[in-house]
Amino acid sequence: MLVRGGIPARLVAVTGKSSAARQRLWASGRWCHVVVAYGTGGRVLNVFSVYGHSGAARGGAVRVRNEALLSDVFDAAAELGSAPVVIAGDLNTPPEASTALRLALNS
């Protein structure tokens, strides 16, 4: 993830103590979590970058994998409680074809 010079940011480490969802996300190679300081530096914005599985909207095994990935993304975001989170990326599916996306958008 690129962050403009002078803006404090760091990759959030995934360790053996991280949740199962975060460990699966990291192992997938399709997700990363960065915190970016803003204002006077006392506040942080959590940014998730996600790359969904290509062709997920067409169904089949790819859709199942993508739904699991997205569910883990939303679980990892929920673990942060009320902290601000931006989820960005190419999810490779529209909400109409994804139960995970529809549930998240309706929560």
Side-chain angles (χ1 to χ4, degrees), residues 12-91:
V12 176
V14 175
T15 68
K17 294 181 181 181
S18 298
S19 71
R22 291 179 62 80
Q23 289 182 32
R24 284 190 301 270
L25 287 167
W26 186 254
S28 76
R30 295 178 167 273
W31 169 86
C32 70
H33 176 189
V34 172
V35 291
V36 180
Y38 65 95
T40 59
R43 298 180 187 190
V44 296
L45 175 64
N46 294 276
V47 181
F48 289 4
S49 177
V50 184
Y51 179 53
H53 295 276
S54 297
R58 291 191 294 271
V62 175
R63 180 178 180 178
V64 171
R65 285 195 311 273
N66 206 55
E67 287 295 292
L69 175 76
L70 295 177
S71 292
D72 282 345
V73 167
F74 298 127
D75 287 348
E79 290 171 10
L80 298 173
S82 61
V85 180
V86 172
I87 299 171
D90 182 352
L91 305 181

